[in-house]
């Protein structure tokens, strides 16, 4: 008996001694526990959020993504999933679960490891708010004591609510509501049983079970939570099987609903918020309401994306992005394959994939647990680099990293990341409110905002401002200028001889300004600017918001050789659209603090009310009329597909096809699209404003014009209708009426309309010698009314 009694007595003594020690330490530690004010007066860090004008989230900024929800807003299925995964007896124990501890200890002994923990939800709240995650006896003791104290101070539902809002769940998300947005792009109330189980599995190890980074492990954890829900009686077997079979649909995955892409707008709003509130903007729950609308922003994003991808398709496949060594790696070695893809970022629908096998007829690729076979039309774009004769450095072969796109019912295709950029801005021409803004192809790839930051040559899209200046100097749409060659000797240019040309090298003699603008005739614009003087035009364009310093007073200004941003171009064209008023584009409508008070609100100048008039209403009306002809029968006839008679605008293509523009408008909406390379270089022959930029504008306007009825500006007073020699009615300023009938060149209206081409740029240098005479290559008298 002694061999039994003495060890038992010793064990009991040790237990008593240990309990006494714990009691003593606890008695000493209890008064030193931190105050629970942070729990009873819960004030979490709420990130800065940016919204569209119609209430959709564009972006959020801050160290923590968090959406605080009340307990009654949490779906029952999510509460059950959390309890099953983390603390089934939460509503029964006093903060520590002795039964749970015993069960976990037994499971760990049986498994020979540390597979299960025993932290209750209350203990996790204590740890998250007050303690570190170090694994020491003292820290665990404090965690238990804090859990007991929390249970004495708060109700079970209050503790559960704190847990649901505070716990870190990966993707910078704190709380289950933010996680539902981050992983599934949906509000918490809309999650399914399968999604609830996926979220409930994250607290144990947010990094290891992140469904975006580790989908396979995340699904394994999800299935474990679902089984625990069955064991706890929360769901039945039928629900369990249905949830297990539900496909994983992630916010950034190909199966997810398309999210609202407003990164450039959100970044502009963030900068303004930080200017206003400083660093506290990131954690005090400030909301910024922008002027963009959801439908217009989505339409602009799709239009730019499609325009760029169409350009890429026109210029061919450049080959894989890179290559990795797949020697000894099989298609079943998912962990190794995932490692090889880990550093390659997806850009929206352009997904990274690793080629396992390739032939001219099929390509097999691996992507995060999926093996996909691409055939038929999906190989058309990459076909040249699947040929046996393709250069090895550009050939699609085993080990190549390529981009793939899901075309829905058409299957997958091989695509590529573009090396060209594009931008689009749409502005309410009466108030300046920005309706949509896309600053580049993909914000996550290139954060440079081409709408506000890219100063580029506007080419022929700048010509309307020169024509407008000419109207103020006595010209009219029916004034006639000569479309004939010009030659400027080096003595005038201060550099070298300059002989500007029209696109096709053809010259069609005398023609009206209306026809010259519709056909984008360079010779007409140069002669017009020479008549009114570059100095006058440089001063005049400041009325539209342009910086005179960016447009030196040389004849090249007639061809748009200065520098402007799409933002400035939209500002300028709005003057024509709204009848002559200068508006200021703005992207933030109001800011609201964490308590719901409006702390900043924009009161913009409105055309016809508080905005300053900068050009004569007759000028604006005539210029709109002339630019309507650009659409109806000039270089922008692609816009006729919209079947709207009031649309007006101007294409622009710079020298050597470097920049492509289209600026156009409805009386209430101006939109400007641009395409080019960040480091200016040739876009390719034929890539004009009409072929590269205008299609983006048209695709955007298909959506934007749905809310705008057809509208034609009323003709202002002071314009007199006259009949030209060709029988066409034209309008002149009443003070500029001719004393003789207007006779236009024969056949003006019947001339063929070539596509627009690049403008030749005059070297922007001052003359260093006495000016030499300009040589008219086939001089014809200039006639104007």
């Amino acid at each position: 008996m002694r061999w039994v009694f003495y060890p038992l007595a010793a064990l009991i003594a040790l237990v008593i001694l240990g309990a006494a020690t714990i009691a003593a330490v606890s008695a000493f530690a209890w008064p030193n526990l931190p105050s629970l004010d942070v729990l009873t007066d819960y004030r979490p860090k709420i990130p800065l959020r940016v919204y569209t004008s119609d209430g959709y989230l564009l972006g959020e900024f801050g160290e923590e993504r968090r959406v605080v929800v009340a307990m009654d807003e949490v779906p029952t299925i999510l509460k059950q999933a959390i309890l099953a995964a983390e603390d089934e007896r939460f509503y029964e124990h006093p903060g520590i679960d002795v039964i749970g501890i015993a069960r976990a200890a037994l499971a760990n002994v049986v498994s020979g490891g540390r597979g299960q923990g025993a932290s209750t939800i209350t203990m996790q709240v204590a740890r998250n708010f007050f303690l570190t995650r170090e694994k020491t006896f003292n820290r665990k003791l404090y965690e238990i004591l804090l859990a007991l104290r929390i249970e004495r101070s708060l109700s079970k539902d209050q503790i559960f609510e704190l847990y649901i809002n505070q716990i870190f769940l990966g993707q910078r998300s704190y709380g289950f509501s933010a996680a539902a947005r981050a992983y599934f792009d949906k509000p918490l109330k809309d999650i399914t049983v399968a999604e609830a189980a996926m979220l409930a599995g994250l607290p144990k190890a947010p990094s290891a079970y992140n469904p975006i980074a580790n989908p396979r492990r995340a699904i394994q954890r999800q299935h474990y939570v679902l089984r625990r829900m069955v064991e706890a009686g929360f769901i039945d077997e039928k629900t369990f099987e249905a949830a297990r079979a539900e496909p994983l649909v992630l916010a950034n995955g190909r199966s997810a609903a398309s999210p609202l892409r407003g990164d450039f707008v959100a970044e502009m709003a963030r900068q303004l918020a930080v200017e206003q509130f400083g660093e506290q903007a990131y954690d005090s729950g400030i909301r910024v309401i922008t002027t963009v609308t959801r439908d217009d922003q989505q339409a602009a994003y799709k239009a730019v994306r499609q325009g760029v991808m169409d350009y890429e398709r026109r210029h061919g496949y450049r080959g894989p992005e890179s290559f990795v060594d797949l020697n000894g790696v099989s298609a079943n070695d998912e962990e190794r394959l995932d490692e090889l893809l880990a550093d390659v970022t997806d850009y929206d629908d352009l997904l990274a994939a690793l080629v396992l096998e390739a032939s001219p007829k099929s390509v097999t690729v691996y992507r995060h647990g999926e093996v996909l076979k691409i055939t038929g039309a999906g190989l058309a774009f990459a076909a040249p680099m699947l040929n046996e004769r393709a250069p090895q450095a550009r050939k699609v072969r085993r080990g190549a990293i390529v981009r793939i796109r899901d075309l829905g019912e058409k299957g997958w295709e091989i695509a590529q990341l573009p090396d060209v950029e594009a931008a689009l801005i749409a502005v309410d021409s009466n108030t300046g409110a920005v309706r949509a803004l896309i600053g580049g192809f993909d914000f996550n790839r290139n954060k440079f905002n081409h709408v506000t930051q890219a100063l580029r040559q506007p080419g022929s899209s700048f010509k309307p401002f020169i024509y407008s200046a000419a109207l103020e100097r006595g010209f009219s749409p029916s004034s006639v200028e000569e479309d004939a060659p010009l030659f400027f000797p080096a003595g005038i240019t201060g550099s070298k001889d300059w002989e500007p040309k029209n696109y096709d090298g053809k010259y069609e003699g005398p023609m009206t300004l209306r026809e010259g603008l519709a056909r984008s005739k360079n010779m007409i614009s140069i002669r017009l600017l020479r008549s009114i003087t570059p100095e006058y035009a440089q001063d005049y364009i400041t009325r539209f918001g342009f910086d005179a310093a960016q447009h030196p007073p040389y004849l090249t200004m007639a061809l748009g050789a200065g520098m402007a941003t799409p933002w400035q171009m939209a500002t300028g064209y709005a003057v024509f659209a709204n009848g002559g008023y200068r508006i200021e584009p703005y992207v933030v409508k109001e800011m609201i603090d964490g308590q719901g008070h409006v702390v900043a609100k924009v009161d913009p100048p409105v055309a016809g009310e508080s905005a300053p008039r900068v050009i004569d209403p007759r000028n604006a009306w005539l210029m709109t009329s002339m630019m309507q002809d650009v659409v109806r029968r000039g270089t922008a006839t692609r816009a006729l597909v919209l079947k709207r008679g009031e649309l007006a605008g101007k294409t622009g293509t710079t020298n050597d096809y470097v920049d492509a523009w289209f600026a156009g408008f409805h009386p209430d909406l101006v939109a400007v699209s641009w395409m080019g390379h960040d480091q200016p270089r040739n876009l390719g022959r034929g890539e004009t404003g009409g072929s590269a930029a205008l299609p983006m504008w048209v695709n955007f306007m298909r959506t934007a014009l749905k809310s705008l009825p057809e509208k034609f500006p009323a003709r202002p007073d002071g314009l007199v209708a006259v009949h030209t020699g060709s029988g066409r009615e034209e309008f002149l300023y009443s003070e500029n009426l001719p004393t003789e009938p207007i006779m236009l060149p024969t056949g003006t209206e019947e001339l063929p309309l070539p596509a627009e081409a690049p403008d030749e740029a005059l070297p922007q240098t001052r003359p260093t010698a006495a000016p030499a005479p300009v040589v008219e290559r086939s001089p014809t008298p200039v006639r104007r009314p």
Side-chain angles (χ1 to χ4, degrees), residues 315-500:
H315 291 269
Y317 186 60
R318 296 185 298 275
E321 290 179 28
S322 60
F323 296 90
V324 297
D325 186 2
L326 287 184
N327 285 334
V329 181
S330 71
N332 297 323
D333 192 352
E334 295 184 3
E335 186 171 346
R336 177 59 180 151
L337 294 173
D338 283 334
E339 286 178 6
L340 294 171
L341 275 176
D343 295 331
V344 188
T345 305
D346 293 336
Y347 296 102
D348 195 7
D349 61 340
L350 292 175
L351 309 178
L354 186 54
V355 176
L356 300 178
E357 296 178 8
S359 73
K361 292 187 177 181
S362 70
V363 174
T364 303
V365 300
Y366 172 85
R367 173 179 164 76
H368 300 315
E370 281 188 281
V371 175
L372 306 167
K373 190 171 184 179
I374 305 173
T375 60
L379 301 178
F381 182 49
M385 297 306 154
L386 286 166
N387 192 289
E388 291 299 325
R389 297 181 180 180
Q392 282 295 104
R394 300 172 60 196
K395 186 176 181 180
V396 178
R397 52 186 169 83
R398 178 174 168 81
I401 291 179
V402 298
R403 294 285 160 176
I404 58 173
R405 281 205 307 172
D406 186 2
L407 302 180
E409 294 181 358
K410 296 181 180 179
W412 292 87
E413 74 163 356
I414 294 180
Q416 69 183 1
L417 290 176
D419 66 355
V420 72
E421 278 291 353
L424 188 148
I425 179 176
V427 176
D428 185 313
S429 58
N430 297 302
T431 66
V434 175
R435 292 261 299 272
L437 187 152
I438 304 296
F441 178 76
D442 194 297
F443 179 82
N444 294 315
R445 188 175 181 224
N446 184 353
K447 293 178 172 54
F448 184 77
N449 190 334
H450 297 83
V451 166
T452 60
Q453 296 175 286
L455 281 165
R456 307 294 290 240
Q457 289 189 335
S460 292
S461 62
F462 198 75
K463 287 177 182 175
F465 305 107
I466 304 302
Y467 277 66
S468 176
L471 295 186
E472 290 304 296
R473 295 298 291 262
F475 286 81
S476 76
S478 58
S479 297
V480 177
E481 285 287 357
E482 186 74 19
D483 179 30
L486 286 168
F487 176 79
F488 297 87
I492 277 190
T493 67
S495 176
K496 58 183 179 180
D497 293 351
W498 181 54
E499 188 172 7

Side-chain angles (χ1 to χ4, degrees), residues 52-340:
T52 65
S53 61
D54 44 356
Y56 293 89
L57 182 67
L58 278 174
E60 57 184 353
F61 303 90
E63 292 182 7
E64 302 179 1
R65 290 177 176 167
R66 192 192 309 278
V67 180
V68 178
V69 290
M71 195 62 176
D72 58 3
E73 297 175 302
V74 181
T76 300
I77 193 63
L78 177 61
K79 297 176 189 176
Q80 293 172 339
I82 295 169
L83 292 173
E86 295 294 320
D87 191 357
E88 183 184 339
R89 300 183 64 254
F90 171 70
Y91 282 96
E92 301 168 19
H93 61 65
I96 57 173
D97 186 3
V98 177
I99 296 175
I101 292 173
R103 184 177 61 241
L106 179 61
N108 291 337
V109 168
V110 171
S111 64
R114 299 173 60 187
Q116 290 193 22
S119 290
T120 64
I121 285 175
T122 312
M123 291 166 68
Q124 291 184 57
V125 169
R127 182 168 65 238
N128 285 323
F129 278 93
F130 302 107
L131 303 171
T132 66
R133 297 188 69 87
E134 63 176 338
K135 297 183 183 297
T136 64
F137 174 79
N138 286 343
R139 202 274 299 161
K140 195 66 178 179
L141 178 61
Y142 269 90
E143 183 179 304
I144 292 171
L145 294 176
L146 277 168
L148 294 172
R149 188 168 186 175
I150 290 169
E151 290 272 351
R152 292 173 57 181
S153 303
L154 301 175
S155 70
K156 286 287 188 180
D157 278 353
Q158 287 176 315
I159 297 169
F160 204 2
E161 184 177 302
L162 287 170
Y163 178 83
I164 286 170
N165 285 303
Q166 184 70 19
I167 192 74
F168 175 64
L169 298 170
Q171 298 294 110
R172 291 195 297 113
S173 298
Y174 288 78
F176 285 88
S177 184
R181 286 287 186 187
Y183 291 111
F184 305 118
D185 193 31
K186 59 172 59 176
L188 197 62
K189 64 182 179 65
D190 293 339
I191 62 172
T192 65
V193 174
E195 290 164 346
M198 181 73 74
L199 294 176
L202 288 169
K204 181 177 175 64
S207 177
Y209 299 125
N210 182 322
I212 293 174
N214 297 295
R216 186 173 57 175
R217 295 184 68 181
I219 290 172
Q220 290 174 349
R221 177 66 177 167
Q222 176 199 46
H223 291 176
Y224 164 77
V225 175
L226 288 169
R227 283 195 300 271
R228 291 284 301 122
M229 294 175 73
V230 173
E231 293 168 4
F234 294 138
I235 60 174
D236 55 26
E237 285 291 339
K238 184 178 179 180
T239 305
F240 168 75
E241 292 298 336
R244 267 180 34 118
E246 185 177 309
L248 178 62
V249 181
L250 299 175
N252 71 335
R254 57 187 173 85
S255 301
S258 178
L260 181 56
R261 302 291 181 174
D263 299 295
F264 288 98
V265 176
E267 173 59 17
M268 294 171 70
R270 180 198 68 81
Q271 293 176 14
L272 291 172
V274 172
E275 286 179 15
Q276 181 85 9
F277 300 101
E279 291 301 309
Q280 73 177 39
Y282 295 121
D283 56 24
S284 55
I286 292 168
R287 288 180 291 147
V288 180
I289 313 301
T290 67
T291 58
V292 303
T293 61
R294 177 179 180 270
D295 288 348
D296 287 345
Q297 184 66 20
Q298 283 187 320
Y301 179 79
K302 290 178 181 177
V304 169
R305 199 92 176 176
Q306 186 62 49
V308 170
M309 296 311 293
D310 286 346
Y311 171 88
E312 290 292 308
R313 193 168 286 279
R314 289 195 297 271
H315 291 269
Y317 186 60
R318 296 185 298 275
E321 290 179 28
S322 60
F323 296 90
V324 297
D325 186 2
L326 287 184
N327 285 334
V329 181
S330 71
N332 297 323
D333 192 352
E334 295 184 3
E335 186 171 346
R336 177 59 180 151
L337 294 173
D338 283 334
E339 286 178 6
L340 294 171

